[in-house]
Amino acid sequence: MSYAPLPSAESSYAVLHGRATTVVIEWRSDDAPLWRYWGPRLPDDALPPAPLRGLRPLPSFMLDHDQPLTLAPTFGVGWFGQSALLAHRDGRDFAQAWNGCELAWIVPGQALRLRLTDSVARLRLELTLQLAPASDMLTISSRLSNEGSGAIDVSWLAAGTLPLPAHAAAVRSYAGQHNREFILQTDALSRSLWRRESRRGRTSHDNFPGAVVTTPGATDDAGLVYGAHLAWSGNHEQTIEWLHDGGYQWQMGEWLAPGEGRIEPGQTWTTPEIVASCSMRGLNGLAANFHAELRARLPWAGGAMRPRPVHLNTWEGCYFDLEPAKVMELATAAAAVGVERFVVDDGWFHGRHHDRAALGDWWPDEGKFPQGLGPLADHVRSLGMEFGLWFEPEMVNPDSELHRKHPDWALQLAGRPMLTGRNQLVLDIARPEVADYLYERISALVAAHRIDYLKWDHNRDLTTAGGADGRPAYRAQVHAAYAVMDRLRAAHPALEIESCSGGGGRIDFGVLRHAHRVWTSDCIDARSRVDIQRGYLQFFPPEIMGAHVGTAPAHSTGRSQAMAFRAAVALPGHLGIEFDLRTLAAAERDELAGWIALYKQWRSRLHRGPVHLGDAGDGIVWQAHGDADELLLLIYRLEPTTQRYMPPLRLTMLDRNGRYRLRQIEPEATRGRPLYDTTTPWLESLRSDAGAIAHGGWLAEAGLALPRAKAETAFILHLEKI
């Protein structure tokens, strides 16, 4: 790869083409590169008719030099919008301007690097852009180097700046809290600045680091939409700002604590990636792009995902009561219904009888497990299941042997009280001795018991987050967590890691460079989970979405749903169980076993290809997994009907010239059970082995007739083109 400056200060164009998108950048050797286009695919030879500054006249009462949107706008030299860089060197060099630009192709037409220099402020910025042909995903990251003689203090460095068109209309983002993640927020775009931030030290429940921008008329399946996400598990910020040409700029990056962004002479600072895409196929088309990109980068052992094993987690079934005989009985019951992986959650380690003590003391509790974990692990394996274990490596309780021995290992600020959250403090895992302690303790257990799976939790926000030198340690904490995960996976290549953070507090493309599953929410109430999972699916694929069948009433909400609804909601994700199976009556146990068998039968269909989400109105939502040749369709009635007749469900992804065989999918244990308020010959034909035949064009335009059913029920169909 070699950089190619232009022979003179003339504009040229760099074009990236994806399958359905195009990026066009205007650049010259003595200035910052300009954004000219990011949107639906242009013809290969479609270029601007002239440089941008030669196309638009200057308005009145304006600087004499046009200032269009660049890939890295800077403060103090004529750009009055949000800057991609805010920095100074001891109060000087507070204004920057890129007066040198070189371009190098990494992969011609797909990936490039721009090297921008400011010879006055003595800074170099490298921007890397890649447009993946398979997923239409544009990734951008920035790398800032200090070439001056003094340190430079950075308060903001955008990972990237994206252009949005003038007809961008609204932004869809996600708020939430513990037990209620992915709450959809929709805000109209205007001349007011739109901003979302998290300063909690993790991805957070309440400010997801991504959003979707829609244009007028965009729907689930049609219309132009844009999406972007910051691949980062720490503090973050994103803004969308109106520009005076009517368009918008969208920036994302780390939110930096005061003093955190210092770059010494000769040092370099690298941002996380932005992963972004646009689609003319609406929200579902955008989701398909994100799913394809993440599937290509997940760190599976051997390079490919194996079928996602049915998973039992002991937390809501046992809490801290992990008496070996009881846990072995639960494992036996789990194997009997078809569970393939048994995960022992919190409560197994030294002195851990409640949530007020023992975090950091990572060896088996001698009272609960006098012979260690070996007998339990051997029992689980003898039943044909994998064995998994819960850790919260980044945390320590003040009441622990580790903290009593090393009180300095917790993040803290001199003179400030050490604030606890859930009775715990945060370990300074960026310190090598702390990272080594965690790695050695966890790795030894993994090796001794052939542990297949770690549930890695992170159950509090960061406060008084000072490192050993008293400086902010937020971003160092994130990089250190990634590094410990990578060390464990390098030593144990088959090990899988789940990212949990009080449920959905650490779900992002960054941690998923190092982990293989996310725990979507601590709320296992099926009605709540429908909304949570639909928000999750806008960015992430179903096969890594931890989705468990819980008990009734649900521990988080007190609401009860039938086994069929709980299982149908969990079915399309990475299916798990989380309650004490020993308490089930025989009929319920048989029904659960039937749902598990159904998952095993259909997981290869559920966990590949696109996912389509829709809303049929009248309290009905649906999702379909697959393509026009074969689909598994899951329909959920969430509320009682308000209509005498059910609205039809239009399946616009089907082949309008094809014919389809439709069969209802249900466990053997429920066959023959009346599922609806009333039935019809059509509905009964769907339950037969032969199924029913319907034309794709009819189903796409007129729609599928739905059953009349009670609230919190599900209806699952297999559609196959014949």
Side-chain angles (χ1 to χ4, degrees):
M1 182 179 69
S2 60
Y3 289 96
L6 287 172
S8 61
E10 296 178 355
S11 293
S12 186
Y13 302 102
V15 181
L16 305 176
H17 285 304
R19 172 178 41 84
T21 59
T22 295
V23 166
V24 180
I25 296 164
E26 179 182 332
W27 72 286
R28 46 188 286 167
S29 63
D30 63 347
D31 203 351
L34 305 181
W35 271 115
R36 296 303 304 270
Y37 184 79
W38 174 44
R41 181 70 151 82
L42 298 176
D44 289 350
D45 58 351
L47 290 175
L52 182 57
R53 288 187 175 97
L55 286 174
R56 56 187 201 175
L58 289 176
S60 62
F61 217 74
M62 174 72 177
L63 293 174
D64 295 330
H65 181 67
D66 192 11
Q67 296 284 349
L69 177 65
T70 75
L71 272 71
T74 54
F75 171 76
V77 290
W79 178 256
F80 298 105
Q82 173 76 25
S83 298
L85 173 64
L86 293 172
H88 66 93
R89 185 179 280 110
D90 194 24
R92 298 179 180 274
D93 291 329
F94 63 87
Q96 299 88 33
W98 310 116
N99 53 18
C101 179
E102 298 172 297
L103 181 148
W105 284 103
I106 302 169
V107 179
Q110 294 180 16
L112 61 81
R113 184 166 295 134
L114 291 156
R115 185 165 66 188
L116 314 182
T117 53
D118 180 344
S119 61
V120 177
R122 292 154 293 167
L123 296 173
R124 184 177 76 247
L125 180 69
E126 292 182 334
L127 296 167
T128 302
L129 290 80
Q130 178 171 339
L131 185 56
S135 64
D136 273 316
M137 192 63 60
L138 175 65
T139 58
I140 305 178
S141 63
S142 299
R143 179 181 170 92
L144 182 67
S145 299
N146 181 3
E147 299 181 331
S149 57
I152 187 156
D153 288 299
V154 177
S155 60
W156 169 245
L157 175 60
T161 300
L162 295 166
L164 292 169
H167 60 296
V171 56
R172 295 161 57 96
S173 62
Y174 293 94
Q177 63 179 31
H178 178 238
N179 280 331
R180 192 63 179 89
E181 295 85 345
F182 288 103
I183 301 174
L184 178 64
Q185 310 291 299
T186 302
D187 299 301
L189 288 175
S190 69
R191 293 195 179 201
S192 299
L193 180 71
W194 182 89
R195 181 190 300 272
R196 295 292 301 273
E197 296 179 354
S198 174
R199 297 172 289 277
R200 297 180 179 273
R202 54 178 169 166
T203 317
S204 84
H205 300 80
D206 51 343
N207 282 296
F208 177 73
V212 173
V213 172
T214 60
T215 61
T219 67
D220 289 331
D221 297 306
L224 177 61
V225 296
Y226 293 81
H229 166 62
L230 187 70
W232 179 242
S233 306
N235 295 332
H236 54 84
E237 174 184 331
Q238 59 172 322
T239 61
I240 300 177
E241 182 180 39
W242 183 83
L243 303 177
H244 283 274
D245 61 4
Y248 299 84
Q249 65 159 335
W250 192 358
Q251 288 186 5
M252 289 184 173
E254 298 176 61
W255 184 92
L256 299 176
E260 192 170 24
R262 171 159 288 201
I263 310 175
E264 298 294 340
Q267 290 186 344
T268 296
W269 180 289
T270 303
T271 70
E273 286 182 326
I274 293 174
V275 287
S277 190
C278 69
S279 175
M280 286 296 295
R281 297 184 294 115
L283 299 173
N284 288 328
L286 184 67
N289 292 350
F290 276 102
H291 295 186
E293 176 65 20
L294 187 59
R295 283 166 169 162
R297 60 169 68 193
L298 281 165
W300 298 116
M305 182 187 76
R306 61 189 177 92
R308 298 292 80 213
V310 180
H311 182 114
L312 183 137
N313 191 65
T314 63
W315 178 239
E316 288 197 6
C318 300
Y319 290 107
F320 296 105
D321 183 17
L322 292 178
E323 193 274 324
K326 173 183 176 180
V327 181
M328 288 185 183
E329 288 176 6
L330 181 57
T332 301
V337 297
V339 169
E340 298 164 305
R341 174 186 286 156
F342 189 84
V343 181
V344 177
D345 206 290
D346 198 353
W348 61 268
F349 49 98
H350 174 72
R352 187 66 163 178
H353 308 297
H354 44 67
D355 68 0
R356 301 184 298 279
L359 282 175
D361 298 344
W362 300 115
W363 58 91
D365 183 77
E366 299 84 349
K368 296 178 182 178
F369 299 98
Q371 301 177 65
L373 292 175
L376 174 58
D378 291 343
H379 178 69
V380 168
R381 292 193 174 283
S382 73
L383 295 166
M385 295 185 292
E386 299 175 6
F387 184 58
L389 202 58
W390 178 95
F391 289 87
E392 194 170 1
E394 295 154 85
M395 304 296 159
V396 64
N397 286 119
D399 183 6
S400 66
E401 293 190 21
L402 180 65
H403 188 66
R404 284 186 284 272
K405 185 176 180 181
H406 297 288
D408 58 315
W409 280 13
L411 292 174
Q412 55 196 282
L413 293 174
R416 302 291 183 191
M418 296 176 71
L419 302 176
T420 56
R422 296 185 77 252
N423 307 295
Q424 59 198 53
L425 300 168
V426 183
L427 284 173
D428 183 0
I429 62 173
R431 294 172 63 153
E433 62 271 29
V434 181
D436 289 345
Y437 168 82
L438 293 172
Y439 168 76
E440 289 161 7
R441 285 287 180 182
I442 298 171
S443 184
L445 286 164
V446 171
H449 303 299
R450 291 193 299 143
I451 293 171
D452 304 283
Y453 186 85
L454 298 184
K455 182 179 179 183
W456 183 301
D457 217 336
H458 180 293
N459 279 325
R460 62 154 291 178
D461 299 325
L462 272 58
T463 56
T464 59
D469 59 0
R471 299 180 65 84
Y474 295 93
R475 77 187 309 262
Q477 189 78 4
V478 177
H479 284 297
Y482 292 166
V484 176
M485 291 180 188
D486 287 347
R487 285 179 71 184
L488 288 166
R489 290 178 47 246
H492 311 282
L495 182 69
E496 291 189 10
I497 297 176
E498 173 183 356
S499 172
C500 177
S501 185
R506 185 153 63 182
I507 301 176
D508 59 79
F509 272 51
V511 78
L512 287 167
R513 288 284 198 186
H514 316 275
H516 310 82
R517 185 191 202 248
V518 295
W519 182 223
T520 324
S521 177
D522 279 346
C523 179
I524 317 179
D525 174 292
R527 174 60 189 86
S528 296
R529 268 299 187 117
V530 170
D531 296 331
I532 293 168
Q533 292 177 182
R534 288 169 73 81
Y536 162 97
L537 287 167
Q538 180 64 70
F539 293 90
F540 307 96
E543 60 267 26
I544 61 167
M545 179 179 74
H548 292 185
V549 180
T551 191
H555 292 188
S556 55
T557 66
R559 295 190 298 201
S560 293
Q561 295 104 14
M563 174 69 76
F565 187 68
R566 286 178 278 151
V569 170
L571 186 75
H574 181 181
L575 180 68
I577 312 298
E578 192 153 343
F579 63 97
D580 190 349
L581 299 178
R582 301 176 307 157
T583 65
L584 286 181
E588 275 196 301
R589 186 170 59 249
D590 291 346
E591 183 176 354
L592 178 60
W595 281 102
I596 290 172
L598 203 66
Y599 169 80
K600 292 177 180 178
Q601 178 184 354
W602 292 105
R603 59 187 161 189
S604 63
R605 174 71 279 168
L606 291 164
H607 294 165
R608 60 180 175 85
V611 179
H612 312 265
L613 302 181
D615 187 333
D618 190 41
I620 295 172
V621 298
W622 58 272
Q623 63 191 69
H625 295 240
D627 52 32
D629 291 331
E630 184 186 16
L631 286 167
L632 205 64
L633 174 66
L634 300 99
I635 304 163
Y636 303 108
R637 170 160 285 289
L638 306 181
E639 307 294 339
T641 181
T642 61
Q643 301 179 189
R644 294 182 184 275
Y645 299 97
M646 297 302 94
L649 193 161
R650 294 177 62 238
L651 300 171
T652 58
M653 78 292 291
L654 297 182
D655 180 355
R656 284 166 169 73
N657 296 311
R659 298 177 68 82
Y660 288 82
R661 185 182 306 278
L662 290 74
R663 296 188 183 91
Q664 185 171 340
I665 301 301
E666 55 186 322
E668 287 296 329
T670 66
R671 286 191 176 274
R673 179 190 302 175
L675 298 180
Y676 323 117
D677 291 351
T678 58
T679 190
T680 65
W682 163 255
L683 290 172
E684 290 305 316
S685 70
L686 296 176
R687 301 183 81 177
S688 70
D689 291 338
I693 307 299
H695 197 282
W698 182 267
L699 296 173
E701 298 301 337
L704 171 70
L706 298 179
R708 187 177 181 86
K710 291 182 171 62
E712 297 181 349
T713 54
F715 178 53
I716 305 175
L717 292 176
H718 176 232
L719 288 79
E720 188 172 21
K721 193 161 72 169
I722 56 176

